[in-house]
Amino acid sequence: MFPTLEPKLARYRELEKQLYDEATAADPLKAKAIAKERGALAKIIEPYIEYKRVCEAIAEAEKLASGGDAEMAALAEEELHTLRPKRDALQAKIEDQLLIDPAEDFSKLIIEIRAGEGGDEAALFAGNLYDMYTRYARNKGWRIEEISYSPGDAGGFKEVTFGVEGDDVYQFLRYESGGHRVQRVPATETQGRIHTSLATVAVLPEPDEAQVEIRPEDIEWERMRAGGAGGQHVNKTESAVRIWYKKGTPEELEVKCQDERSQSKNYERAMRILRTRIFERQQEKLHRERADLRKAQVGTGERGAKIRTYHYKENRVTDHRIGVTVYKLDAIMAGDLDLIIQPMRDYVKQQKLAAAQAG
């Protein structure tokens, strides 16, 4: 029933062999990468192996149940009452795991929210999105880490970056990348007119050092004084860090961190952001190479694509990619984001299951 899992099963067995190879043991970084890939595959392959075993047992029991031996047939029927529910449960588990590409099984990610068109109102909306995501993360029991921010002149954020860590975090938030449009009456509007503003969200899976290697010779960095509010610390301490990455890119990547008092912590955070952006570029290149296999823009992560509209007067949120509208904007902004995330996950699951069953 799941022909596309056979290549994954072959890969799983190949990784098992590599893991116990002497050459792998001599290379800790390689061993870590292999163990991680094998562990990610195990989540779907081990249930698949058990599913195949149960299916074989069902086929054998069905033969006995239809045979001429009444006693054996009765025993086989009794066994089928146990095996069939077990098969169905394994099938459901495999279907859920099909949503997850083992190469994208991240438990840590970085989210960047930027105000777009709309001036102060866009910055306020960026702040609303930040509140929405952090409430949602706390409801899920995920850990939130503040990384950097630039406040808006009237509140909210011109830009805010934060980390989220927890089980299945990427699987729930991966489709949030893109343009988020808000339609509402701003606080500064005296005639009650609805304005439209935009903020962009980028969900960046945070790779480890085995997935993205950054050598010292690939970067340049400098220390400097932090800017903005911060009192005497800002004026007297060169704790801010700016890093440039130039390897293999027509446009250099630049990252700046200044929110920690410690230069080493700012450097560490800047390197984490840099690693996620390098990984994002690698993934974008891979997506372009596979563009002929993609029939829609669902979840591509393209920041310019408008994915969702939040209409305050009508208390509705619309996901334009799958044509779903939910009239519970107040609950969604309060952190009940599954109301709009789950329909997208269900849609992607249906697409993947259809592809898996087609072979």
Side-chain angles (χ1 to χ4, degrees):
M1 184 176 177
F2 302 104
T4 57
L5 291 182
E6 286 298 320
K8 295 180 186 293
L9 176 58
R11 176 61 177 166
Y12 178 78
R13 288 173 173 158
E14 177 188 345
L15 289 168
E16 282 191 319
K17 291 180 181 178
Q18 290 182 19
L19 197 58
Y20 298 104
D21 187 87
E22 291 183 2
T24 301
D27 187 343
L29 203 59
K30 182 179 179 182
K32 182 179 178 181
I34 291 173
K36 182 173 182 178
E37 184 182 353
R38 178 187 173 279
L41 274 172
K43 293 179 181 180
I44 190 169
I45 292 305
E46 289 181 358
Y48 178 56
I49 292 171
E50 179 66 7
Y51 172 81
K52 292 178 69 174
R53 187 194 68 76
V54 171
C55 285
E56 290 172 1
I58 288 174
E60 187 65 29
E62 287 175 341
K63 287 181 183 179
L64 292 173
S66 60
D69 189 323
E71 185 176 349
M72 290 298 295
L75 289 172
E77 284 291 347
E78 186 177 340
E79 187 178 10
L80 285 170
H81 282 302
T82 302
L83 290 173
R84 283 169 177 157
K86 188 174 183 179
R87 175 200 59 193
D88 294 344
L90 286 165
Q91 180 178 326
K93 185 173 184 178
I94 291 168
E95 289 175 351
D96 288 339
Q97 287 296 320
L98 279 171
L99 283 169
I100 304 172
D101 185 332
E104 299 179 337
D105 188 20
F106 299 95
S107 61
K108 296 173 68 176
L109 54 83
I110 289 176
I111 298 179
E112 297 178 345
I113 303 174
R114 292 186 175 90
E117 297 177 1
D120 288 342
E121 172 65 8
L124 290 169
F125 180 53
N128 296 146
L129 291 177
Y130 169 79
D131 291 339
M132 178 185 75
Y133 286 121
T134 53
R135 288 167 181 159
Y136 179 66
R138 291 188 181 96
N139 290 342
K140 289 286 188 184
W142 297 333
R143 188 173 71 88
I144 301 165
E145 178 189 5
E146 310 298 338
I147 295 179
S148 66
Y149 66 93
S150 175
D153 296 333
F157 298 103
K158 294 177 182 176
E159 179 179 336
V160 58
T161 302
F162 58 102
V164 185
E165 179 178 358
D167 292 340
D168 300 324
V169 60
Y170 185 57
Q171 303 311 321
F172 280 90
L173 293 175
R174 62 180 301 174
Y175 304 110
E176 293 302 294
S177 292
H180 294 242
R181 183 176 66 175
V182 63
Q183 293 178 321
R184 63 185 178 187
V185 179
T188 56
E189 171 58 51
T190 58
Q191 299 182 26
R193 292 173 298 187
I194 293 176
H195 289 224
T196 298
S197 302
L198 184 74
T200 59
V201 174
V203 176
L204 310 174
E206 185 172 350
D208 56 33
E209 294 179 8
Q211 291 168 299
V212 176
E213 180 185 7
I214 302 176
R215 299 177 299 176
E217 58 266 32
D218 297 334
I219 64 172
E220 295 179 8
W221 72 284
E222 68 172 0
R223 62 178 63 88
M224 57 189 176
R225 292 184 181 180
Q232 294 181 349
H233 161 67
V234 168
N235 297 326
K236 295 182 178 180
T237 308
E238 289 190 339
S239 60
V241 169
R242 180 185 282 126
I243 300 177
W244 293 274
Y245 179 83
K246 299 183 178 181
K247 180 188 174 187
T249 58
E251 300 176 1
E252 67 178 29
L253 288 170
E254 178 183 329
V255 178
K256 176 184 175 183
C257 270
Q258 65 176 37
D259 297 300
E260 288 286 346
R261 289 179 176 269
S262 164
Q263 183 186 105
S264 62
K265 288 185 178 180
N266 280 326
Y267 181 85
E268 179 185 350
R269 286 187 170 185
M271 288 294 288
R272 285 175 56 196
I273 295 172
L274 178 61
R275 192 174 289 112
T276 63
R277 291 182 181 173
I278 293 170
F279 185 76
E280 181 190 29
R281 283 195 174 185
Q282 293 173 351
Q283 293 300 102
E284 285 177 350
K285 180 180 178 183
L286 182 63
H287 288 326
R288 285 195 298 270
E289 291 171 352
R290 295 176 178 175
D292 57 329
L293 301 177
R294 288 157 55 203
K295 298 179 181 179
Q297 292 296 310
V298 173
T300 62
E302 295 177 2
R303 300 187 191 185
K306 181 185 69 179
I307 67 166
R308 198 175 288 159
T309 294
Y310 304 73
H311 197 292
Y312 274 66
K313 184 176 181 180
E314 297 179 5
N315 196 37
R316 66 172 168 86
V317 178
T318 298
D319 192 309
H320 302 288
R321 297 164 296 180
I322 55 176
V324 168
T325 295
V326 178
Y327 287 90
K328 293 185 178 180
L329 181 146
D330 51 350
I332 289 170
M333 299 307 292
D336 194 1
L337 200 50
D338 278 331
L339 289 169
I340 196 70
I341 284 180
Q342 195 56 48
M344 171 61 78
R345 284 170 53 80
D346 292 341
Y347 173 84
V348 173
K349 179 177 179 177
Q350 291 169 7
Q351 297 297 307
K352 288 193 174 185
L353 289 177
Q357 291 170 359

